């Protein structure tokens, strides 16, 4: 709640957009708290903050945990912030009780996760994990033309530590679910096994413009009929593909958009999501079959373009098991869940064993000033994180430490 006072909005949310004065004030408050818990604080060249608590074997690869402090312009008090302060709470708890861990533990604040001011989401973790070049990231500008490089410079945040991953024994990110599934299912903890892959398509149907009155229904080449048949077939295939499949048709445009003319052309976008690449392939085949069937039926032609996408992310099964063990030890009701949103953990998963822990949020509301969790939910998630990090930080030297 103290962090939420920085950049507080009228409707009870937070506005700390990446590298703004308020974002930096939040980072400074975090650093002050982290030093108070016995950590040393480092900043890398993209402004990612690492608060390190030494381990018994301080040369061993650290266990890392964190998230982001930046918010949407009308953001909530918990998205990202909860994961950073949850990890800090773990370190403070170990500090207060004089508990040592074999491996060092580092609490991480990733730069510009939200991508609202500088439009590249999960920027800091993308650079750190090698998915985006530092030089490219530094040149990204906000809508006033101010670059990431200029803001890092202005705030004295362009650190000297290379913004590139080093051996990491485990990365665990605690986050609010940002969806309604845990609350609906009465679960207290979500053990996140991975993140949805997504594919974007653009579909164009071309028919024949015709007068809405004199033209009989069977004498038309009506792109709307082709769209309707395609939408129904894709919805059916999505339902058949199980709980995690998602299909969203949006941005539907017709030309000419005149109420008394059968449109000549219709374009729409489709967003397909599933955590398994094979199922995404099957859904794409279903889409192509649906288009062929719908256009044959209606005498309309179609064009399909796959515009962009991201592959599914699978988190580390052994680390997910540590999360389950930690939840079981506390008697917390947990279920496996897939993340529908992108998180810094998705980038980190490319270079280190990674897991995420979700707690329910009220009504599944997020990216909204009304975002809320109870103190009990906050405590339970942080306790599961504590158990997970202690387990991960007590393993013996392995491959990763070479
Ligand atoms: Zn977030």
């Amino acid at each position: 709640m103290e962090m939420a006072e920085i950049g507080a909005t009228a409707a009870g949310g937070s506005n700390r957009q990446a590298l703004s004065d308020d974002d930096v004030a939040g980072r400074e408050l975090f650093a002050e708290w982290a030093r108070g818990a016995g950590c040393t604080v480092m900043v890398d060249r993209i402004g990612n903050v690492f608060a390190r608590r030494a381990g018994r074997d301080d040369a061993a690869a650290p266990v890392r945990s964190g998230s982001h402090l930046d918010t949407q312009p009308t953001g909530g008090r918990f998205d990202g912030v909860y994961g950073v302060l949850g990890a800090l709470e773990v370190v403070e708890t170990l500090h207060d009780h004089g508990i040592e861990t074999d491996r060092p533990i580092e609490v991480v604040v990733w730069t510009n996760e939200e991508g609202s001011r500088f439009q590249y989401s999960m920027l800091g973790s993308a650079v750190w994990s090698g998915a985006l070049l530092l030089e490219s990231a530094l040149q990204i500008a906000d809508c006033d033309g101010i670059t990431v490089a200029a803001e890092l410079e202005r705030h004295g945040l362009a650190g000297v530590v290379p913004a590139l991953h080093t051996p990491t024994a485990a990365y665990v990110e605690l986050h609010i679910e940002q969806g309604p599934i845990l609350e609906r299912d009465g679960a207290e903890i979500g053990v996140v096994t991975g993140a949805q892959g997504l594919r974007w398509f653009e579909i164009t149907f071309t028919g024949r413009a015709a007068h809405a009155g004199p033209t009989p229904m069977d004498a038309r080449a009506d792109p709307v009929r082709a769209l309707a048949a395609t939408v129904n077939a894709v919805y059916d295939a999505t339902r058949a593909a199980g709980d995690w499949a998602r299909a969203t048709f949006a941005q539907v445009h017709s030309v000419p958009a005149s109420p008394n003319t059968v449109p000549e052309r219709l374009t729409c976008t489709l967003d397909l999501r599933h955590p398994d690449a094979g199922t995404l392939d099957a859904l794409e085949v279903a889409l192509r079959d649906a288009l062929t069937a719908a256009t044959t039926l209606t005498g309309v032609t179609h064009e399909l373009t796959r515009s962009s996408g991201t592959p599914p992310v699978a988190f580390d099964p052994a680390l997910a098991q540590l999360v389950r063990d930690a939840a079981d030890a506390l008697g917390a009701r947990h279920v496996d869940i897939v993340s529908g949103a992108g998180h810094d953990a998705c980038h980190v998963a490319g270079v280190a064993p990674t897991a995420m822990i979700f707690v329910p949020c009220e009504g599944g509301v997020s990216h909204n000033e009304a975002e809320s969790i109870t103190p009990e939910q906050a405590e339970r998630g942080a306790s599961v994180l504590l158990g997970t990090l202690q387990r991960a930080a007590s393993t013996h030297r392995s491959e990763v430490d070479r």
Side-chain angles (χ1 to χ4, degrees), residues 67-68 70 78-81 113-114 173 175-176 178 341-344 356 366-367:
S67 194
H68 57 100
D70 69 314
F78 301 97
D79 174 4
V81 190
E113 192 276 344
E114 293 292 356
E173 183 165 344
H175 208 282
I176 60 168
Q178 306 184 280
H343 294 288
D344 293 307
M356 285 191 80
S366 183
H367 280 200

Side-chain angles (χ1 to χ4, degrees), residues 208 210-221 262:
R208 195 171 52 247
H211 197 300
T215 319
M217 297 306 280
D218 59 6
R220 300 177 179 198
V262 176

Side-chain angles (χ1 to χ4, degrees), residues 16-227:
R16 286 189 309 274
Q17 293 178 63
L19 303 179
S20 63
D21 291 355
D22 281 331
D23 181 31
V24 173
R27 290 156 167 265
E28 280 166 2
L29 181 59
F30 164 79
E32 185 190 316
W33 284 337
R35 286 192 193 96
C39 295
T40 50
V41 178
M42 297 167 287
V43 182
D44 75 11
R45 293 189 58 200
I46 196 66
N48 296 322
V49 182
F50 298 83
R52 180 185 176 96
R53 180 175 193 261
R56 214 177 272 124
D57 180 359
D58 210 38
V63 167
R64 295 182 159 119
S65 179
S67 194
H68 57 100
L69 289 175
D70 69 314
T71 72
Q72 292 283 317
T74 52
R77 293 168 294 170
F78 301 97
D79 174 4
V81 190
Y82 173 56
V84 171
L85 298 187
L88 180 62
E89 183 68 26
V90 166
V91 163
E92 282 182 345
T93 300
L94 296 172
H95 182 72
D96 292 348
H97 293 266
I99 299 169
E100 287 188 317
T101 53
D102 291 336
R103 295 178 184 280
I105 297 179
E106 291 185 5
V107 183
V108 191
V109 180
W110 302 108
T111 296
N112 186 39
E113 192 276 344
E114 293 292 356
S116 43
R117 178 182 177 198
F118 300 103
Q119 294 187 359
Y120 190 107
S121 57
M122 302 174 276
L123 181 92
S125 54
V127 171
W128 188 82
S129 61
L132 174 67
L133 285 174
L134 174 67
E135 289 67 29
S136 312
L138 290 173
Q139 291 321 308
I140 295 172
D142 68 7
C143 62
D144 296 320
I146 302 171
T147 61
V148 169
E151 282 296 71
L152 288 172
E153 198 62 40
R154 180 170 76 89
H155 294 297
L157 280 173
V160 290
V161 180
L164 199 58
H165 58 92
T166 53
T168 305
Y171 175 75
V172 187
E173 183 165 344
L174 175 65
H175 208 282
I176 60 168
E177 180 198 345
Q178 306 184 280
I181 294 171
L182 295 178
E183 193 176 77
R184 183 195 70 192
D185 295 352
E188 295 166 324
I189 293 293
V191 181
V192 189
T193 54
Q196 300 262 61
L198 78 89
R199 291 181 192 175
W200 277 9
F201 300 92
E202 226 175 81
I203 306 165
T204 305
F205 296 101
T206 307
R208 195 171 52 247
H211 197 300
T215 319
M217 297 306 280
D218 59 6
R220 300 177 179 198
D222 180 356
V224 179
R225 276 190 70 198
L227 173 68

